Amino acid sequence: MNVAIVGAAGRMGGRLIQAVLEAEGLELSGAVERPGHPQVGTDAGLLAAAGYIGVPITDNLAATMKNADILIDFTFPDVTLKNLEICAKLGKMVVSGSTGFTPEQKDQVGKYAEQIPVVLAPNMSVGVNACFKLLKEAAKILGDDFDVEIVELHHNKKKDSPSGTAVRMGEVVAETLERDFNQVANYHREGMCGERTKDEIGMQTVRGGDIVGEHTVYFIGMGERIEISHRAMSRDMFARGAVRACQWLQGNKPGLYDMQDVLGLN
Ligand code: NAD
């Protein structure tokens, strides 16, 4: 299966190029960056420190997708939506790890997924997806007696906040407790903001240095506390997850899937 990568020169791009080159059954057929990016024209293999492979980075996704079966997209929501439009027209599959979608943008992704198979996941790591499952179980057992707070840490270049993973963790807990996440998420406490409400889910963000990504969900009861934490030590496991999603997506019908589907956890 021929794979193209968009966002090729980004922090995830190099890891994705390496992961596709190492993956069984996948060939890297193209790599794309934004027009004007200094790495356009550079060989993708050289960019990923994997040696020359004869795949130059282009700035034209539509032309690059002609030779590809599937697109791996780690960019930003507005870019991803444009990429989905191109892939839907060409009938190509998409695996996107972009984060920061508004509910309206997520709906738009869903519309494109009526035409092509799409995996969209704010976190492609197997460990984080295991955490989603554990959170569901913990929320089921602990119920409304425990206050839920989520803290996430990321590097100082991250653009969206809180992370897509933290939001998904909040959604999983809220859905299990039959709450509407958008109603109960509390992103801000400052000054005389009053006591914590029973249903709220606190969302706290730390930004600094080169932290790849850390998430902790606290279930805080009277006299005891449970913490479910995930710490990412490198970006390679996100890239391996994206490769796994490509291998899984092959042969699937159009639709919107996530890593829980890919890993058989749903
Ligand atoms: P980055 O800024 O290092 O890389 C993004 C790349 O996209 C840049 O090189 C940029 O030039 C390129 N780009 C921007 N506009 C473009 C366009 N129109 N066409 C082609 N390329 C374009 O960011 P990053 O750290 O690599 O993260 C990228 C995205 O992936 C973010 O949304 C991040 O939150 C997400 N992410 C997801 C996971 C996951 O597991 N799902 C893991 C890590 C990061």
Side-chain angles (χ1 to χ4, degrees), residues 19 24 27 53 57 86 135 151 162 166 177 248:
E24 215 168 287
E27 292 289 330
I53 55 168
I57 294 175
I86 291 169
L135 287 170
V151 180
L177 296 173
W248 178 85

Side-chain angles (χ1 to χ4, degrees), residues 19-264:
V20 170
L21 291 175
E22 285 170 2
E24 215 168 287
L26 302 187
E27 292 289 330
L28 186 72
S29 63
V32 184
E33 257 298 336
R34 63 173 165 75
H37 193 285
Q39 297 291 5
V40 171
T42 304
D43 184 77
L46 294 179
L47 193 81
Y52 180 81
I53 55 168
V55 177
I57 294 175
T58 78
D59 60 3
N60 186 335
L61 182 72
T64 302
M65 286 314 291
K66 297 233 162 88
N67 300 321
D69 304 300
I70 190 161
L71 176 69
I72 302 180
D73 162 290
F74 275 64
T75 57
F76 306 104
D78 52 337
V79 180
T80 299
L81 286 173
K82 286 189 190 127
N83 296 343
L84 279 166
E85 187 184 353
I86 291 169
C87 289
K89 270 193 196 134
L90 295 170
K92 309 288 184 175
M93 301 175 277
V94 177
V95 168
S96 178
S98 300
T99 64
F101 291 89
T102 63
E104 294 74 30
Q105 286 174 321
K106 267 191 206 159
D107 289 346
Q108 275 178 275
V109 175
K111 289 266 174 265
Y112 290 119
E114 289 170 9
Q115 302 167 57
I116 48 169
V118 176
V119 172
L120 178 73
N123 197 308
M124 302 249 171
S125 108
V126 173
V128 160
N129 283 279
C131 282
F132 291 149
K133 185 92 176 166
L134 295 173
L135 287 170
K136 216 180 271 182
E137 290 307 308
K140 231 185 268 174
I141 296 165
L142 303 171
D144 291 327
D145 291 339
F146 284 66
D147 295 328
V148 182
E149 296 280 313
I150 300 178
V151 180
E152 59 101 334
L153 297 79
H154 277 89
H155 54 88
N156 58 19
K157 301 280 185 293
K158 186 161 176 66
K159 294 191 175 69
D160 55 319
S161 182
S163 71
T165 304
V167 170
R168 188 66 204 128
M169 286 176 159
E171 287 171 350
V172 167
V173 173
E175 279 160 21
T176 310
L177 296 173
E178 294 178 359
R179 298 177 196 166
D180 177 349
F181 178 72
N182 292 323
Q183 297 294 319
V184 299
N186 185 350
Y187 299 97
H188 190 81
R189 295 189 186 111
E190 190 185 21
M192 289 296 288
C193 57
E195 283 181 16
R196 187 188 196 285
T197 61
K198 190 90 206 79
D199 282 352
E200 74 188 60
I201 296 179
M203 303 290 293
Q204 310 301 328
T205 300
V206 177
R207 292 287 174 266
D210 62 352
I211 301 170
V212 175
E214 302 189 5
H215 295 84
T216 298
V217 180
Y218 296 87
F219 291 88
I220 310 167
M222 302 307 285
E224 59 181 340
R225 181 167 89 225
I226 291 173
E227 299 174 12
I228 296 181
S229 287
H230 179 271
R231 291 188 181 88
M233 262 79 80
S234 100
R235 292 184 170 82
D236 289 340
M237 43 87 192
F238 301 130
R240 282 196 297 272
V243 159
R244 200 157 157 177
C246 289
Q247 289 160 334
W248 178 85
L249 205 50
Q250 204 174 12
N252 262 298
K253 286 192 292 226
L256 185 56
Y257 305 99
D258 62 16
M259 279 307 279
Q260 299 285 300
D261 298 308
V262 173
L263 300 173

